[in-house]
Amino acid sequence: MPRPELPLPGLDGQLAFVSIDPEIYDSYYNVMSNEVLWPLFHNCLHQSRSLPPERHLRVAWRAYVTVNRQFANQIARCAHKGETIIVHDYHLMLVPGFLRELRSDLNIAFFHHIPFVGPGAFQLLPLAMRRTIMSSFRKISVGFQSAKWQLEFEQEYNKVTNGRILFSFVHPVSPDFEHVRSLTREPRVSARCQELRSLTGGKFLLARADRMDPMKNVVRGLQAIALLLERDPSLARTFVFVNHLVSTRTTVAGYEDYAKDIRTTASQINSLWADETWSPIILEEGDDYLRAIALLLEYDALLVNPIREGMNLVAQEGPLINRRHGVLLLSTQAGAHDRLKGPAIEVPPLDISYTASALRRAMLMKQAERKHRAELLHERVLAGAGSHWHEQLVAIVKRSQAH
């Protein structure tokens, strides 16, 4: 909906809108951004689906180019001379290049929040698209959540362009400490914590809080529970695995099918192992952030096993507020792994057998080790930027301009 620029209450700035034709938006967002680029950068294009047919891909790419150009045009109209412009994420990768053509006076930067593509996978895109994307980053600052994503970007950039970027950097995001902590004091969160304690009946609480996205790897987490019980039936009725899951991208191909796979897998496990008083798997579907906060407060172990992820805030929010010396099981392919490896138990995301063993280790871990790991995790999270992440990002970009 077209709107005028609006003031931002409490902030020194304005909010401007870009009006996009709905049909173009559908191709730009649902197809190019989220059916092609999202799984591509997560190295999962082959697991979710292949590229759309060539004709559909060309239509989606034209829409992506159109929308990115619209954003660049709007920024060029709004920006004051010499201002610093930071463009965010994979939906807008062509904006820096278009904007550089329009306004050479601006200090332009781009921050890539998700992983960069693994070795060779970027070549799944047609060469012309790869060159257009990479040339957009010429002579600007480019930021990443993790050094491994930065390295993969630089390798691909040099391969495609035979050039070098002006400046790349790593600046991992972290939770807003005070905001998350303030939520733990909410009476509604206390009520949800009581509900959880009643639900688990004092059993070991294994938790996950995620979107129902194939990249989040929810199904393999459930399959690891099935394997765990098969290997060690004595663990039955000693734990409850609560999955708090938020529906996402229901208009994008494959997401509804994945949600059905989650429900089916959970149902099959429960049908094998549940009795009148216990079910190993509990699925909670719905966007209840306070319930998720309660889960992070109360867990005994938290499973975060994405196939590949730029950062992951849940892996940091949990250790920040958990009050039970909870164990974190963390994917080696999450950006947060760089910060939390060591005190977190590593989980190779595609290895169901290893994940099952890691879950058993967490369930049987001695209290002294749990406490030591939890304290180290808490310290690592607090070493992050917190609510100052964006102002630190701006400072990094401005320093890069000086060089």
Side-chain angles (χ1 to χ4, degrees):
M1 181 182 297
R3 303 182 188 195
E5 290 188 10
L6 299 175
L8 297 173
L11 296 174
D12 181 17
Q14 288 188 312
L15 180 63
F17 291 86
V18 178
S19 299
I20 303 168
D21 176 89
E23 189 172 334
I24 292 175
Y25 182 84
D26 179 64
S27 290
Y28 150 76
Y29 183 78
N30 290 325
V31 181
M32 193 68 214
S33 294
N34 289 324
E35 286 185 30
V36 177
L37 294 176
W38 173 265
L40 176 76
F41 282 122
H42 287 80
N43 239 355
C44 295
L45 193 58
H46 60 288
Q47 296 185 35
S48 57
R49 53 174 293 174
S50 59
L51 287 173
E54 184 179 353
R55 182 172 61 85
H56 292 156
L57 181 61
R58 286 200 308 269
V59 170
W61 175 251
R62 283 198 298 269
Y64 186 84
V65 172
T66 297
V67 172
N68 274 249
R69 195 177 290 280
Q70 283 186 255
F71 270 87
N73 290 341
Q74 178 76 315
I75 296 166
R77 285 194 295 268
C78 295
H80 298 296
K81 185 176 178 59
E83 275 194 321
T84 293
I85 308 295
I86 303 179
V87 182
H88 288 266
D89 225 2
Y90 66 104
H91 310 85
L92 300 173
M93 290 188 294
L94 305 186
V95 170
F98 292 147
L99 188 56
R100 189 176 59 241
E101 294 171 0
L102 295 168
R103 293 285 304 272
S104 60
D105 62 294
L106 299 175
N107 176 32
I108 305 167
F110 180 84
F111 196 89
H112 193 78
H113 287 267
I114 64 175
F116 204 78
V117 72
F122 198 53
Q123 295 178 22
L124 291 172
L125 282 182
L127 179 59
M129 292 183 190
R130 284 184 276 144
R131 284 177 172 165
T132 302
I133 291 170
M134 286 303 185
S135 65
S136 181
F137 300 132
R138 185 172 56 85
K139 295 184 178 179
I140 70 165
S141 305
V142 185
F144 299 90
Q145 301 277 14
S146 163
K148 54 191 170 188
W149 313 143
Q150 177 192 30
L151 176 61
E152 291 182 351
F153 167 78
E154 291 182 352
Q155 289 173 339
E156 291 294 339
Y157 180 90
N158 290 329
K159 188 185 303 180
V160 172
T161 67
N162 296 316
R164 69 179 186 87
I165 57 175
L166 178 65
F167 179 65
S168 72
F169 62 94
V170 175
H171 183 48
V173 72
S174 57
D176 184 335
F177 307 138
E178 293 310 313
H179 174 66
V180 175
R181 284 169 168 163
S182 71
L183 292 174
T184 67
R185 298 187 287 271
E186 282 259 358
R188 291 174 295 171
V189 170
S190 298
R192 284 162 172 79
C193 287
Q194 291 177 356
E195 293 169 3
L196 274 172
R197 284 193 288 269
S198 174
L199 184 68
T200 59
K203 295 178 176 63
F204 187 96
L205 175 54
L206 173 62
R208 89 174 299 143
D210 262 322
R211 290 180 288 113
M212 298 175 86
D213 187 310
M215 313 315 154
K216 295 294 187 178
N217 209 22
V218 177
V219 169
R220 285 191 182 87
L222 297 173
Q223 291 170 337
I225 292 293
L227 183 56
L228 171 72
L229 288 168
E230 182 183 319
R231 288 175 173 174
D232 190 351
S234 69
L235 291 174
R237 290 173 292 282
T238 67
F239 72 92
V240 179
F241 186 15
V242 178
N243 291 251
H244 185 79
L245 304 173
V246 180
S247 180
T248 184
R249 293 178 179 151
T250 55
T251 58
V252 177
Y255 278 72
E256 279 299 301
D257 289 341
Y258 190 72
K260 291 176 184 176
D261 288 345
I262 292 171
R263 298 180 193 114
T264 299
T265 305
S267 178
Q268 289 172 343
I269 296 169
N270 283 338
S271 67
L272 283 173
W273 292 97
D275 56 30
E276 293 181 357
T277 61
W278 175 73
S279 294
I281 309 293
I282 295 176
L283 295 187
E284 298 181 345
E285 294 187 43
D287 192 0
D288 185 346
Y289 186 51
L290 297 184
R291 175 65 164 192
I293 290 293
L295 196 58
L296 296 182
L297 280 166
E298 295 292 326
Y299 71 79
D300 293 296
L302 177 66
L303 178 62
V304 181
N305 68 323
I307 294 174
R308 191 173 167 91
E309 189 152 42
M311 174 47 61
N312 194 286
L313 286 176
V314 170
Q316 299 180 70
E317 290 168 343
L320 178 67
I321 64 174
N322 180 261
R323 53 194 180 194
R324 295 181 59 83
H325 296 143
V327 180
L328 174 63
L329 299 103
L330 181 61
S331 168
T332 55
Q333 292 300 305
H337 181 258
D338 286 0
R339 177 178 289 165
L340 304 179
K341 62 184 176 184
I345 295 179
E346 294 187 350
V347 177
L350 303 184
D351 191 335
I352 296 169
S353 176
Y354 193 104
T355 303
S357 298
L359 288 168
R360 186 177 189 277
R361 179 183 173 191
M363 291 179 185
L364 302 179
M365 187 177 291
K366 300 292 186 184
Q367 184 60 27
E369 183 180 354
R370 290 169 56 87
K371 182 174 184 292
H372 179 64
R373 286 175 175 272
E375 289 173 348
L376 287 176
L377 286 169
H378 190 262
E379 291 173 7
R380 299 274 184 92
V381 172
L382 286 180
S387 61
H388 302 291
W389 180 83
H390 187 262
E391 62 189 65
Q392 290 180 8
L393 173 62
V394 174
I396 291 170
V397 171
K398 288 185 174 179
R399 283 200 303 272
S400 75
Q401 182 185 34
H403 290 86

